[in-house]
């Protein structure tokens, strides 16, 4: 499928500050949006912790990931999915997240992965 | 098929790069094409020319360079990942007032747009991460 802009699912699977892989995923998503790629984002497993509101990483000398993720809306990245099982596991409610996404179950995640041509996992 | 490889693991700290190299060689041997290798995040460390692994360990750097030389495979390092890890081309070293540079030959420092272009041009993108 040369030059046909594959539909890409970006899966965020890591917590926000343990490594900079989460930041690399966000950078990739923003770049893909600038180049008008068809992208969707799935926050899965520990990745849902990136979405927790009122983060204060200054105390550990880190930049707040929340501010960059909030920019997703400005970049028209609006297909956001959240792993419902992980929310349950971390005892989180969607009201505690600063991003509005669709909470989906395991079966929906499987379908989502199948619907996309390329999957990048960070 | 046209493949792009996305390398996000550091060269010596896990098996990912060895697997990627084997995948690249096997693909080419089977008549496929490697459109581009994109080194992102810790993968950017691969471009460090000063790597000095012990003599009895395989040098991933040399293996990538050989691949580039023999099969014209494009080796691209993400600029943001590279700079923060101290991988600088001569040009970047000058820009940031460093006395020396260490980007290895056959590697190019590029922006994320090159990964997106590679996705659009390739049939598959395969990630190798930790």
């Amino acid at each position: 499928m040369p030059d046909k802009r594959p539909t890409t699912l970006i899966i965020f699977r890591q917590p926000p500050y343990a490594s900079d892989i989460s930041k690399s995923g966000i950078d990739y998503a923003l770049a893909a949006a600038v180049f008008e790629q068809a992208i969707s984002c799935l926050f899965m497993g520990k990745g849902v912790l990136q979405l927790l509101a009122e983060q204060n990483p200054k105390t550990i000398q880190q930049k707040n990931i929340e501010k960059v993720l909030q920019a997703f809306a400005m970049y028209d990245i609006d297909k956001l999915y959240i792993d419902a099982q992980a929310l349950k596991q971390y005892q989180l409610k969607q009201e505690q997240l600063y991003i509005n996404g669709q909470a989906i179950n395991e079966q929906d995640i499987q379908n989502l992965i199948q619907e996309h041509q390329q999957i990048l996992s960070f | 098929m046209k493949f792009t490889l996305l390398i996000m693991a550091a060269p010596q700290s896990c098996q990912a790069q060895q697997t990627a190299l084997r995948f690249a060689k096997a693909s080419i041997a089977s008549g496929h094409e490697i459109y581009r290798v994109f080194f992102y995040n810790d993968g950017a460390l691969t471009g460090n020319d000063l790597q000095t692994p012990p003599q009895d360990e395989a040098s991933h750097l040399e293996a990538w360079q050989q691949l580039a030389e023999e099969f014209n495979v494009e080796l691209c390092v993400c600029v943001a990942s590279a700079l923060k890890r101290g991988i600088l081309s001569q040009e970047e070293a000058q820009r940031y007032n460093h006395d020396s540079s260490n980007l290895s030959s056959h590697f190019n420092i590029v922006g994320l747009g090159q990964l997106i272009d590679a996705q659009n041009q390739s049939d598959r993108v395969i990630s190798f991460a930790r």
Side-chain angles (χ1 to χ4, degrees), chain B residues 32-103:
Chain B
H32 301 294
E33 183 193 336
I34 303 292
Y35 179 75
R36 184 170 292 154
V37 184
F38 192 90
F39 296 90
Y40 195 33
N41 199 267
D42 279 347
L45 291 165
T46 318
N48 184 357
D49 198 44
L50 300 176
Q51 289 174 69
T52 315
Q55 282 182 352
D56 56 354
E57 284 182 24
S59 163
H60 297 141
L61 175 60
E62 276 174 28
W64 286 118
Q65 286 173 322
Q66 211 179 342
L67 208 64
E69 217 158 278
E70 272 180 46
F71 304 104
N72 225 5
V73 171
E74 204 183 327
L75 307 177
C76 290
V77 184
C78 163
V79 60
S81 300
L83 286 180
K84 72 190 271 192
R85 288 172 177 79
I87 314 298
L88 282 86
S89 63
Q90 228 164 16
E91 202 185 348
E92 298 294 337
Q94 272 168 5
R95 196 196 318 267
Y96 292 96
N97 292 318
H98 288 289
D99 295 333
S100 55
S101 62
N102 61 348
L103 183 72

Side-chain angles (χ1 to χ4, degrees), chain A residues 1-118:
Chain A
M1 51 187 143
D3 212 11
K4 273 193 187 150
R5 292 190 195 174
T7 52
T8 304
L9 177 66
I10 308 168
I11 308 184
F12 297 86
R13 303 185 63 173
Q14 300 296 326
Y17 306 109
S19 77
D20 70 341
I21 196 79
S22 45
K23 177 71 177 20
S24 289
I26 295 169
D27 286 345
Y28 168 76
L30 295 176
V34 168
F35 286 95
E36 297 180 338
Q37 303 291 298
I39 57 168
S40 312
C41 298
L42 166 65
F43 293 85
M44 194 174 157
K46 291 174 192 163
V48 299
L49 298 173
Q50 295 185 28
L51 305 178
L52 196 54
E54 294 174 34
Q55 299 175 27
N56 184 19
K58 254 195 200 156
T59 53
I60 52 164
Q61 289 77 49
Q62 294 252 17
K63 273 202 284 190
N64 200 333
I65 211 169
E66 179 177 339
K67 286 189 181 138
V68 202
L69 273 170
Q70 276 177 339
F72 271 23
M74 281 191 316
Y75 285 77
D76 293 325
I77 304 174
D78 49 11
K79 288 182 185 153
L80 301 171
Y81 302 91
I82 303 164
D83 175 0
Q85 180 69 34
L87 288 181
K88 208 169 149 192
Q89 191 188 341
Y90 289 105
Q91 303 187 357
L92 295 172
K93 297 204 170 80
Q94 271 197 279
E95 301 88 77
Q96 290 170 278
L97 310 180
Y98 59 85
I99 263 181
N100 274 328
Q102 194 184 335
I104 59 174
N105 63 27
E106 215 168 294
Q107 183 59 51
D108 294 330
I109 290 176
Q110 271 184 33
N111 295 341
L112 196 66
I113 289 172
Q114 263 173 2
E115 281 162 17
H116 288 77
Q117 290 166 303
Q118 293 189 3

